[in-house]
């Protein structure tokens, strides 16, 4: 398994993200990546 370091420059945005998660941060980020790859979220 590869590990990656996530750097967040906007601390307020990061706090808002953490408040809205329902599971652990890694699972939430993986779900966001999957949605992006499948074209179901974010900019194309």
């Amino acid at each position: 398994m590869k590990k990656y370091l996530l750097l967040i420059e906007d601390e307020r945005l990061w706090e808002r993200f953490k408040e809205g998660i329902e599971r652990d941060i890694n699972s939430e980020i993986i779900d966001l990546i999957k949605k992006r790859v499948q074209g179901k979220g974010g900019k194309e």
Side-chain angles (χ1 to χ4, degrees):
M1 172 192 265
K2 292 184 180 181
K3 296 180 182 180
Y4 296 91
L5 175 64
L6 177 64
L7 300 176
I8 305 296
E9 294 181 3
D10 187 337
E11 290 184 32
R12 283 186 233 135
L13 182 62
W14 179 245
E15 287 300 322
R16 287 177 46 206
F17 175 76
K18 288 194 308 183
E19 290 171 2
I21 64 172
E22 297 175 2
R23 299 175 292 165
D24 64 285
I25 291 172
N26 287 336
S27 295
E28 293 287 341
I29 292 172
I30 291 297
D31 285 348
L32 290 172
I33 292 169
K34 286 178 183 177
K35 287 178 186 176
R36 178 69 182 255
V37 169
Q38 294 171 353
K40 295 183 178 179
K43 297 178 184 175
E44 290 299 317

